[in-house]
Amino acid sequence: MANTAQLLRRQSSRDIVLKSQKSIDQLELREFRGRLVTKEHGVSHHHHTSLHHQPLYGATNQGFMSDAFDESSELEQDPPPFGSEASTSKAKAELVAIAAASSDQQDIVEGEKEGEERESWDSKIMFLLATIGYAVGLGNVWRFPYLAQKNGGGAFLVPYFIMLCIQGIPIFYLELAIGQRLRKGAIGVWSQVSPYLGGIGISSAVVSYIVALYYNTIIAWCLIYLLHSFESPLPWADCPTRLYKNFTYDHEPECVASSPTQFYWYRTTLQCSESVDLPENFNYHMAIALIVSWFLVYICMVQGITSSGKIVYMTAIFPYVVLIIFFFRGITLKGAADGVAHLFTPRWETLLDPVVWLEAGTQIFFSLGLAFGGLIAFSSYNPANNNCYRDAILVSLTNCGTSMFAGVVVFSVIGFKATATFDRCTEERNGLMAQNRTHNLPVCDLQTELANSASGTGLAFIIFTEAINQFPGAQLWAVLFFLMLFTLGIDSQFGTLEGVVTSLVDMKLFPNLPKEYIVGALCFSCCTISMCFANGAGSYIFQLMDSFAGNFPLLIIALFECLSISYIYGVRRFSDDIEMMTGSRPNFYWMFCWKYLSPCAMVTILLASFYQLLTEGSSYPAWIASKGATEGMEWPHWCIVVAFFLILSSILWIPIVAVLRLCGIKVVEDSDPAWFPEAELREVHGIVPHEPTELERSIFCFNMDGTEGMCCPKYGLPEKSLEEEE
């Protein structure tokens, strides 16, 4: 859920100086002329050099710029009629004057309207890097490989790609398109679709806040391991020694009973207690790491690209560089082929298990970062004619390709570790048999060792670190690995927080408060609450929030998003909007997914998840120090209450806002639609009214009069025409 808009786009159009522009396309000319030259207004000569300099990539409309002239000043002379040849020549002259303006001109705009200014991406590559970095996260590295080997190996790819096609890409496409069309954050978008749906945006912001709250804990863990990766030998390579009362030293018994990597993770880093009910001591090391990680998030979000443009390329590209390095290192290790074969060897019988399909759909959904509001916020800064369909396909396939590539990398290393363990076991067994001992011989099985891979934090901080210990130059590999995890995590963290920040700005809850203060208050509140993770039960609280706060609410929010577009905004109108923006109309398949297939898939996953939770219950792995191992324990009643609170605090905003609106109470204030160059786009793309086919009429209930069956005839707030706005 990266390289955020804060990192990748310019903080404000006032900070940008436009270089000489050699050519201006027809769309930009029409938009700029529509903003600067109207029937009622003109621009005097002394204002030409005071206009805002716009980025080459951002659309020059109300969504990206503030009024670039002094509205209170008197005009020196009447302008030529709008649309005349003289008006066009004057608009071109104004554009040339702006492009030729020197970089040291001062901004002397008066009467600027801050609330109407919309930031823009610096370039298309910036947007793609942001979206890919946001979608590609830690789940691609430490969850997909585990799910694949657990649920049928290569056979798992069948439900995985089916769920990608019927659920992942359609919702991803939907969020990019609606954000680009309505040019607002999540709250503004859904309030624009219907005033009764503003709760969807609030729910997205709340769940993003909760997820960001605990997700930053992973970044803190990575910082701790990254810092200690420079030590020689690595602190998790061997068991620590213990001084007894008789002044003798011996290895820590708890570490000997488990392993050095497990002991360092559970007892040194987390300082785990034996139950979530026993927080025990305060973990000062963890508290300091959390403070540092939140400070880094704040600095990066506030400074953005105006501080350093190189950070965008590091946070987006560096994880791929490390994965490629580990790939070439992994495939040269002994046992790498066995590990990769274990991952992708299909076990077709698993396709009959509904749990496999459930986990495939869940992984696709959360891997793409849907329903957080970040994708809507990102796309709202795109030009109005951006090809959002191509972006959705590109980013989705890149995300899934990264998951499979990471699976190869991870299991090549796990294969090396399993082979080394198997060889040691075989050597020990042969030694015992040479001594004519036939009882209590160790059982050596390579496939069992390969199947003992862990998911999530266990894979990253226990299994993988144990394998790295056996590499020559282990410190270098540890630094690369945890630096990669850090960049993956902080990428997704930025994208998640961007959904919250954009929603707060669009709601105008603090209209006179600068954006950097909003970001600072947000990070400070998260840092304060996250101190609950800095104790012996902190890792268990993390698992509780990860198990409940980050899955059910997102599925419900995405379901309401799909239903809102399909049955309130209208599939036909939505398709018309996409055709207007991209020049190409969505085909029958995408419309069918939005209206029927995707909602059915999400409802099925939700019902199956609730059924599984009720029948099998939920537990957490508690570390038992006396045994040097984890044991599954049921959540206590107070944790179940907290879990329900986390879920309800996110999704209850959807019905609450709708009910209060019916009672005449506005939780989300109405706002005017963002300016959108509809007429210009239709002319540029040559759009003609679409005549639905008989199949579309029968399947989607398209009526002859242009209305849509099973769809509300009202679409929220009335839109203003360009003439009314001017």
Side-chain angles (χ1 to χ4, degrees):
M1 168 199 136
N3 321 3
T4 62
Q6 296 295 331
L7 279 173
L8 301 179
R9 55 177 160 70
R10 301 190 184 276
Q11 293 287 344
S12 171
S13 59
R14 295 190 305 271
D15 299 329
I16 302 171
V17 177
L18 182 63
K19 297 181 180 180
S20 297
Q21 186 174 346
K22 295 181 180 179
S23 63
I24 301 173
D25 59 28
Q26 181 181 11
L27 176 60
E28 290 177 331
L29 176 60
R30 288 179 178 276
E31 290 183 29
F32 214 103
R33 185 179 62 196
R35 290 293 297 150
L36 298 182
V37 184
T38 65
K39 293 181 179 180
E40 296 81 13
H41 300 289
V43 183
S44 60
H45 177 73
H46 72 276
H47 283 123
H48 288 175
T49 58
S50 66
L51 297 175
H52 287 305
H53 302 304
Q54 300 298 323
L56 292 173
Y57 182 67
T60 52
N61 58 44
Q62 182 87 6
F64 287 84
M65 59 181 289
S66 62
D67 291 339
F69 55 98
D70 188 355
E71 296 181 4
S72 62
S73 63
E74 296 292 335
L75 300 179
E76 296 180 358
Q77 59 182 3
D78 295 333
F82 179 69
S84 66
E85 182 177 354
S87 174
T88 303
S89 301
K90 182 178 180 180
K92 291 181 179 179
E94 291 170 348
L95 291 173
V96 172
I98 294 171
S102 60
S103 60
D104 58 349
Q105 288 174 329
Q106 297 181 352
D107 186 8
I108 56 174
V109 178
E110 300 177 8
E112 191 178 47
K113 300 177 181 180
E114 293 288 346
E116 296 178 358
E117 183 175 301
R118 194 73 176 174
E119 298 161 339
S120 64
W121 293 102
D122 201 20
S123 66
K124 181 59 177 284
I125 190 63
M126 294 289 188
F127 166 72
L128 290 176
L129 286 174
T131 313
I132 291 174
Y134 167 72
V136 176
L138 295 169
N140 299 76
V141 175
W142 68 26
R143 181 165 171 81
F144 173 81
Y146 166 77
L147 289 178
Q149 70 91 21
K150 172 190 172 187
N151 295 304
F156 180 74
L157 297 179
V158 175
Y160 182 76
F161 279 102
I162 290 177
M163 287 298 178
L164 173 67
C165 293
I166 69 175
Q167 179 181 276
I169 299 180
I171 305 299
F172 200 94
Y173 185 13
L174 181 149
E175 292 196 355
L176 289 185
I178 196 65
Q180 181 175 315
R181 171 60 180 89
L182 298 182
R183 324 203 67 75
K184 295 177 181 289
I187 293 178
V189 159
W190 299 115
S191 297
Q192 199 71 52
V193 171
S194 172
Y196 299 96
L197 297 177
I200 298 178
I202 298 179
S203 294
S204 294
V206 172
V207 75
S208 296
Y209 180 85
I210 295 175
V211 170
L213 181 65
Y214 73 83
Y215 196 84
N216 210 52
T217 307
I218 304 175
I219 300 175
W221 294 337
C222 293
L223 285 176
I224 293 175
Y225 270 75
L226 180 62
L227 177 64
H228 291 290
S229 295
F230 293 95
E231 299 180 13
S232 181
L234 293 173
W236 52 81
D238 297 300
C239 288
T241 56
R242 181 178 181 180
L243 176 63
Y244 291 90
K245 293 181 179 180
N246 58 358
F247 300 101
T248 60
Y249 289 91
D250 196 5
H251 289 296
E252 180 68 43
E254 185 180 345
C255 179
V256 174
S258 55
S259 68
T261 53
Q262 282 185 305
F263 181 82
Y264 187 84
W265 169 241
Y266 286 109
R267 299 299 289 170
T268 304
T269 303
L270 301 180
Q271 299 181 12
C272 273
S273 60
E274 294 193 354
S275 169
V276 69
D277 293 317
L278 302 172
E280 293 184 352
N281 298 329
F282 187 77
N283 190 341
Y284 292 98
H285 298 286
M286 188 65 200
I288 295 174
L290 283 168
I291 294 173
V292 171
S293 61
W294 278 113
F295 179 74
L296 291 175
V297 170
Y298 168 75
I299 290 298
C300 292
M301 291 193 70
V302 168
Q303 295 299 323
I305 197 170
T306 57
S307 174
S308 174
K310 297 180 180 179
I311 194 171
V312 53
Y313 298 102
M314 176 180 176
T315 54
I317 300 175
F318 181 76
Y320 287 97
V321 174
V322 176
L323 280 176
I324 292 173
I325 294 174
F326 267 97
F327 170 76
F328 286 108
R329 179 69 181 103
I331 60 176
T332 61
L333 297 171
K334 180 182 179 181
D338 294 325
V340 176
H342 177 79
L343 173 62
F344 289 111
T345 299
R347 301 187 296 276
W348 301 110
E349 66 277 3
T350 58
L351 295 180
L352 301 176
D353 186 357
V355 176
V356 174
W357 293 80
L358 172 64
E359 293 194 338
T362 305
Q363 172 63 14
I364 279 293
F365 188 87
F366 301 122
S367 177
L368 290 175
L370 306 175
F372 281 102
L375 291 175
I376 294 177
F378 284 173
S379 62
S380 70
Y381 303 112
N382 269 331
N385 61 339
N386 177 63
N387 193 332
C388 53
Y389 170 70
R390 182 177 55 199
D391 295 342
I393 298 295
L394 176 62
V395 176
S396 299
L397 294 182
T398 300
N399 178 75
C400 295
T402 302
S403 295
M404 289 188 289
F405 182 65
V408 173
V409 173
V410 168
F411 266 84
S412 64
V413 177
I414 288 179
F416 163 72
K417 170 192 168 292
T419 300
T421 304
F422 175 76
D423 290 343
R424 288 195 301 268
C425 178
T426 303
E427 183 179 349
E428 180 182 354
R429 180 184 177 90
N430 293 337
L432 293 175
M433 292 180 66
Q435 300 174 10
N436 295 324
R437 295 177 58 180
T438 58
H439 297 287
N440 298 324
L441 293 176
V443 178
C444 305
D445 186 6
L446 180 59
Q447 294 302 315
T448 301
E449 293 293 334
L450 289 170
N452 286 336
S453 59
S455 174
T457 55
L459 174 63
F461 297 102
I462 299 176
I463 303 297
F464 216 84
T465 52
E466 188 174 338
I468 290 177
N469 287 338
Q470 304 175 48
F471 287 5
Q475 286 78 12
L476 173 62
W477 296 105
V479 169
L480 286 176
F481 179 69
F482 290 111
L483 191 57
M484 177 190 70
L485 292 185
F486 172 78
T487 54
L488 283 172
I490 207 166
D491 275 353
S492 299
Q493 179 75 338
F494 289 157
T496 304
L497 281 176
E498 178 62 23
V500 183
V501 174
T502 305
S503 297
L504 290 175
V505 172
D506 285 349
M507 286 185 70
K508 298 181 176 64
L509 293 178
F510 312 100
N512 299 321
L513 195 64
K515 195 170 184 178
E516 53 267 24
Y517 287 95
I518 297 177
V519 174
L522 188 69
C523 292
F524 179 77
S525 64
C526 286
C527 182
T528 303
I529 300 175
S530 65
M531 289 299 110
C532 67
F533 302 116
N535 58 73
S539 62
Y540 306 140
I541 299 175
F542 171 87
Q543 293 175 38
L544 177 69
M545 299 182 70
D546 188 42
S547 299
F548 296 99
N551 49 20
F552 296 111
L554 292 176
L555 275 170
I556 295 172
I557 292 170
L559 175 62
F560 274 94
E561 287 182 352
C562 206
L563 295 176
S564 300
I565 291 297
S566 301
Y567 298 99
I568 297 179
Y569 193 85
V571 171
R572 182 173 183 175
R573 185 188 184 197
F574 189 52
S575 300
D576 290 340
D577 290 343
I578 294 176
E579 182 181 16
M580 179 172 54
M581 292 186 295
T582 66
S584 177
R585 191 176 186 83
N587 57 37
F588 178 87
Y589 173 76
W590 300 114
M591 292 190 292
F592 187 78
C593 282
W594 291 326
K595 195 151 191 173
Y596 303 114
L597 205 54
S598 297
C600 289
M602 285 183 284
V603 169
T604 302
I605 291 176
L606 273 173
L607 294 178
S609 299
F610 282 121
Y611 176 78
Q612 186 182 32
L613 184 63
L614 292 175
T615 55
E616 300 180 8
S618 179
S619 61
Y620 67 98
W623 178 257
I624 309 301
S626 59
K627 299 180 180 179
T630 58
E631 288 186 359
M633 297 184 66
E634 294 292 329
W635 292 108
H637 294 299
W638 70 269
C639 287
I640 297 176
V641 173
V642 171
F644 274 103
F645 173 77
L646 291 173
I647 295 174
L648 294 178
S649 64
S650 300
I651 63 174
L652 279 183
W653 289 101
I654 300 176
I656 286 176
V657 170
V659 172
L660 291 179
R661 187 80 186 201
L662 285 172
C663 299
I665 302 175
K666 297 180 181 180
V667 178
V668 179
E669 290 295 328
D670 298 336
S671 61
D672 293 334
W675 189 86
F676 190 78
E678 182 173 345
E680 288 84 351
L681 287 173
R682 291 185 182 279
E683 182 176 349
V684 168
H685 293 301
I687 304 298
V688 296
H690 174 71
E691 183 66 26
T693 63
E694 290 298 328
L695 181 62
E696 290 177 341
R697 288 197 177 100
S698 59
I699 297 297
F700 304 116
C701 305
F702 292 163
N703 300 321
M704 297 296 294
D705 60 354
T707 61
E708 185 173 337
M710 296 189 298
C711 184
C712 299
K714 302 297 182 183
Y715 305 108
L717 301 173
E719 295 188 7
K720 291 184 177 181
S721 64
L722 177 61
E723 289 77 8
E724 291 175 345
E725 180 184 297
E726 294 294 347

